[in-house]
Amino acid sequence: MTETFDPMPELAVPGGWVVALVAGLAFAALVAFEVHRGTRGWLLGLRIATAMAGWLLCVQPRWVVERIDEREGRVTVLVDGSRSMEVGDRAQTVRALLDRWEGDSDEATLQRFGSLLEPASWQDLDAAVRPRDDETRLAAALESLVEADVGERLGAVVVVSDGAESDEIDPAFVAAESLRGVRVHTVSVGADEQLRDDALVSLEGDRVGFLRRPAQVRVGLRVSGGGDRNIPVTLYEGNEVVAEQVAHVAEGETTTVVLPFVPRRLGRGVYRVAIPVEADDDVPANNERAFLIHVQRDKLRVLLVAGHPTWDVRFLRSFLERDPGIDLISFFILRTTSDLTMAPPDELALIPFPTDELFREHLGSFDVVVFQDFDYGPYQMASYLPRIRAYVERGGSFAMVGGEKSFASGGYADTPIADILPVDLPRIDDPQPGLDERLVTLGSYAPEVDAERIRHPLVALGADPTATASAWARLAPLEGANLVDGVRAGAQVLLSHPRARARRGGKLPLLVTGTFGQGRVLALTTDTSWRWGLPSGGVSGDATAHERFWDRSLRWLSRDPSLEPAHVTTDRERYGPEATVRVRAHLRDARYQPLSLRSVRLALLDAAGAETSGADVVLDAEGQAEVELLGPTAAGAYRAVALDLSPSAAQEQHIAEQWFVVESGGEELADPRARPDRLQAWSEATGGSSHRASDAPSLDSFDATRTEHLGTVSRAPFASPWMLPLVAAIFSLEWWVRRRAGAR
């Protein structure tokens, strides 16, 4: 370890060098006075020593010492394996360079990098130089090398690359924070190329689009070589041309083109943008790119039909009207077609319920239909109930909320509505129970949350089961409930009455969810959920439970992806061929319980369902797992899926999936120009050397001295507690000598 002194000291005296100069002039004046008096030489020398000691005591100079540790280390060769290295003859140049260095590689190790740092072998140089990663993350690779350097034996890294980095991080910052004195020597390839390239350098599409609403994608174009050009840009959905525009692109400049389109189908849409490939184009892979757009409805369209005004109706309708993401159509049924009136219909403020218009013409336009305390009989709706059943079976959503005109009390037993409800209603041929038997009125009560379904988003009011149970205990109690026989097979009881029983036994269900065909259904057998609002706020201070419950209920009914129990995600939406795809899974069952320690297969499937790669994993206690898979080789749309491999599964079952796109160009080839300036910046920041591939020296000639700066220390030799006595002693000695010599 060596130490380097800064020749310019720092001063402890307030005011710095200005005060030091003033003090120096004062002490110099004392010395000059003695010179003027003609004092003898040895007395004058003693006065100078006294003045110097006094000045040093006053200004307290300090020197900053930098501590440096220098030692010889080994060399690691780091080869760029990203897809930009396939441009021109870059990969062949690297292979020839490694062939030349192989004889010098007794102590040197070989690794490759792209999106990740990977080991490589001198015995398989073809694999080491093969371009396949669609990212160039040099900073992350260098940091990983130094972090993995046990014993700090690494002295230098020789980076062989074209310099086209994905993340342009400041090399000086990385060197100071993470590299700990390791030198980075660089060898650039492709710097002398003259590329002829028409490229799609950027693609910025709307991540979320709305059905039948205008959307757009911004496309960046660049021309290298060949001068200015007029380039046609085409947007495709599948093989269908959606939009086309001709752009004038100047040499070396980026031109932006905006292509409009209108999504026509819900779900994930895959679009691609393409420009023609000329015969002399050196990088045809960057002439086409794809993107995903999540197409959804602009607003959640809800039809609310209420039989008569109640507190429950008022609170729910008020919430739906306030939510800007909901398009609400609501009806209070205050008049029927059989009502006697004393005036013509066109003079009445109340119109008859428009059953034909709603349930024959517009039913399919609604995402959720809610019947709240509504009986269909007086409105001649029996012929429309099969339409509601068919609507749910095709993928619609239906909810029934309790009250004296709901469920069996509303006459829905043995109707098509009874077929889709997740609860069983008393049959018509049963002995007719009176109204008081169909409605349970056993005083106030706190609903019980099913312990196995406490993580379900409709009842999960807290961050964990304990917090959820505590939150439900603080809510205002409910009153009343509709009587049902029981629940359907496959339905989930989320809330139940603590005392009342269903007609077939078991606790009376209050909140039940289920499915019918492709649709979802919900039954809430009480009409006092409004008490989870203001009344609960008066007790606990939190009046949001009612709104949170209905917000999640409507989103669950309309299949909001964020409320699904199982999720599969990829680290990106777009990849290049054979890229590394990181797949993460968080899997829960229909009760939202984690699939702990379950065996699953995480795989990549093409559009036809054929697997391109996959791995079997065991989920952790929270139902999570992560794998890295080799991406598909061909461009197109693909799915990352989770397949159930547990012994209880009769066959592989799809648990969750996520779409992604593989494109032939991508970000890595969007701008394939070599960047030797970036490599030189790394060398300058770490004390390394920078070379071109054509003049690269032998491997053993690279300086592998690791120079680590261990920090600085401050040395203040005149701040010692002995300094003051020393100055006093010198002054006393001078005074004594002068007195003995008879001088004043």
Side-chain angles (χ1 to χ4, degrees), residues 195-263:
L195 290 179
R196 163 71 187 93
D197 181 34
D198 299 337
L200 297 171
V201 296
S202 64
L203 189 68
E204 299 178 3
D206 294 334
R207 295 178 59 86
V208 176
F210 299 104
L211 188 67
R212 294 184 290 275
R213 294 291 186 90
Q216 64 181 24
V217 57
R218 298 172 60 88
V219 183
L221 305 173
R222 181 184 292 135
V223 169
S224 300
D228 300 355
R229 299 176 63 82
N230 291 323
I231 300 179
V233 187
T234 308
L235 174 65
Y236 296 90
E237 183 180 13
N239 295 321
E240 180 182 352
V241 176
V242 175
E244 190 170 15
Q245 187 174 332
V246 177
H248 180 76
V249 186
E251 168 79 24
E253 297 182 2
T254 300
T255 299
T256 300
V257 176
V258 178
L259 298 175
F261 62 100
V262 178

Side-chain angles (χ1 to χ4, degrees), residues 306-310 313 332-334 372-374 404-405:
H308 60 105
T310 64
V313 171
F332 285 98
I333 311 305
L334 301 178
Q372 186 172 21
D373 202 2
F374 169 70
E404 63 184 37
K405 298 181 179 181

Side-chain angles (χ1 to χ4, degrees), residues 332-336 339 341 343-354:
F332 285 98
I333 311 305
L334 301 178
R335 164 172 182 254
T336 71
D339 288 343
T341 62
D346 57 356
E347 296 182 7
L348 295 176
L350 299 177
I351 63 173
F353 183 36

Side-chain angles (χ1 to χ4, degrees), residues 6 57 117 124 190 226 230 543 627 671:
D6 187 343
L57 180 63
L117 180 67
D124 190 1
N230 291 323
V627 296
D671 186 1

Side-chain angles (χ1 to χ4, degrees), residues 284-300:
N286 60 16
N287 288 43
E288 180 177 312
R289 300 188 67 177
F291 67 97
L292 290 172
I293 182 170
H294 304 260
V295 183
Q296 60 189 35
R297 296 187 186 275
D298 188 5
K299 291 186 176 182
L300 188 65

